[in-house]
Amino acid sequence: MIAFFSRWASLPAFYRRAGRWIPWLWAVAAGLLMAGTVGGLVLAPVDYQQGEAYRILFVHVPSAWMAMFVYMFMAGASASAFIWHVKLAEILARVSAPLGAAFTALALATGSLWGARMWNTWWVWDARLTSVLLLFFLYLGFMALQAAIEDRRRAARAGAVLALVGVVNIPIIHYSVEWWNTLHQGATVSKFDNPSMTWDMLWPLLTMALGFMVYFAAAVLVRARSEILERERHRRWVIDEVTR
Amino acid sequence: MSALAAFFAMGGYAPYVWGSYALAVIIFIYNAWAPLRRHARLRRAILADGRRASAATAAPTHRIHDENSP
């Protein structure tokens, strides 16, 4: 088990394996995102309450899901880096932060556009919006910490502490719409047995969400490969790999 | 209004709906393009380093060889 894991986490092997996967992941992500966009903008029926404006949902909801998923991914990688000193986990935590921040920014911006039309305000300090803004600052704080500490192994440990403390924010985001009276509407999909959404709207949303996920996988692997090259640039295998 | 014009009008919500999708496209393209560019630059820099290093190790042996030859 440990032998399997250490082989999987070996940087040269990971670098080569990721290099083979990335083109496929880009292709699958592009296909899913295009199908989801056509489904969301053209095929899904108009919402009887919100009209065409609800189509923002097909961007907003997947990016909000990813904002939380990437945080959990980053915190999980940070925990493995902290406990077992796995280099690959340090690298994955470090490179996923900017992507998580991008998804969070997209969720906030599209939510703002949606709110501007539906609530007649770009921003309100309600529980859901504020806790997501805090998530955005957690990502920025993690990135700033990584940038400020020269020694990458120490930066990973410091970042791990911040990431793990910040995990407490995730359930707050999730339950904020139930615990507090907010302007933000409640979940429509998480009740999978009986989602309050018709299949015509649900399939573009799920396709889009899957597209976001595969896109994240591709983007995080590209960034991880760069990070590996930078850390190992004076090793023999990197020079062989690049000159090959 | 034609079907196409109606589609672009988004029931009067065009700036909000298209704005959201445009933001998504910009963020997605940037986050794919920037890391790919960084990776390509890094590979080139390492390649240049490697050439410089091999030139540096090749030069002294050449000089030593010259000194020893009559």
Side-chain angles (χ1 to χ4, degrees):
Chain A
M1 173 66 195
I2 290 168
F4 166 80
F5 192 69
S6 67
R7 212 175 322 127
W8 194 85
S10 126
L11 296 184
F14 180 84
Y15 183 90
R16 295 190 191 106
R17 190 174 302 132
R20 284 195 299 273
W21 287 354
I22 286 167
W24 295 102
L25 291 172
W26 284 133
V28 172
L32 287 169
L33 290 171
M34 280 191 273
T37 304
V38 171
L41 283 177
V42 185
L43 302 178
V46 175
D47 187 71
Y48 77 99
Q49 278 182 326
Q50 304 198 353
E52 305 277 5
Y54 96 96
R55 293 188 194 279
I56 294 171
L57 171 138
F58 300 109
V59 180
H60 175 71
V61 172
S63 51
W65 283 345
M66 288 309 289
M68 292 195 283
F69 171 79
V70 174
Y71 195 89
M72 291 313 291
F73 176 84
M74 186 177 93
S78 282
S80 330
F82 194 83
I83 299 165
W84 297 297
H85 301 271
V86 187
K87 256 192 188 175
L88 181 62
E90 288 176 12
I91 290 168
L92 290 175
R94 185 187 177 100
V95 300
S96 56
L99 289 163
F103 285 125
T104 313
L106 185 60
L108 286 168
T110 52
S112 194
L113 281 166
W114 200 353
R117 206 66 199 87
M118 285 300 135
W119 305 336
N120 277 318
T121 176
W122 296 88
W123 184 262
V124 280
W125 291 102
D126 88 346
R128 173 56 73 84
L129 278 69
T130 309
S131 54
V132 174
L133 188 65
L134 179 64
L135 180 70
F136 184 61
F137 289 136
L138 280 170
Y139 278 123
L140 294 190
F142 182 89
M143 286 158 70
L145 207 53
Q146 299 291 313
I149 302 173
E150 194 87 23
D151 176 0
R152 297 201 173 185
R153 305 223 66 177
R154 289 187 58 197
R157 292 184 75 75
V161 174
L162 175 67
L164 291 171
V165 170
V167 167
V168 74
N169 191 32
I170 296 295
I172 295 179
I173 293 175
H174 185 77
Y175 291 109
S176 58
V177 286
E178 293 174 24
W179 290 345
W180 292 284
N181 233 330
T182 75
L183 210 46
H184 196 284
Q185 59 182 287
T188 40
V189 185
S190 62
K191 304 161 272 176
F192 263 107
D193 42 338
N194 185 23
S196 48
M197 201 182 214
T198 104
W199 177 246
D200 297 346
M201 294 178 182
L202 196 57
W203 80 258
L205 177 61
L206 297 180
T207 307
M208 208 68 153
L210 201 59
F212 272 54
M213 189 75 99
V214 180
Y215 171 91
F216 168 70
V220 94
L221 289 182
V222 174
R223 281 171 187 266
R225 288 180 96 220
S226 293
E227 191 66 25
I228 289 171
L229 281 192
E230 226 169 41
R231 285 186 189 217
E232 308 265 288
R233 66 185 296 167
H234 301 300
R235 294 280 176 85
R236 186 73 236 167
W237 77 265
V238 168
I239 297 161
D240 290 346
E241 183 67 41
V242 171
T243 46
R244 200 157 53 97
Chain B
M1 197 153 53
S2 77
L4 198 64
F7 173 65
F8 284 115
M10 278 290 154
Y13 301 118
Y16 303 93
V17 174
W18 293 114
S20 292
Y21 281 80
L23 273 177
V25 168
I26 290 166
I27 285 178
F28 271 66
I29 288 178
Y30 178 78
N31 275 303
W33 172 77
L36 285 171
R37 188 189 54 165
R38 174 169 173 238
H39 193 77
R41 281 187 177 171
L42 203 56
R43 283 185 80 110
R44 275 201 299 277
I46 292 169
L47 201 59
D49 274 2
R51 284 214 196 91
R52 218 172 295 131
S54 57
T57 50
T61 42
H62 186 64
R63 213 182 305 127
I64 288 161
H65 180 73
D66 275 358
E67 278 166 11
N68 289 351
S69 60

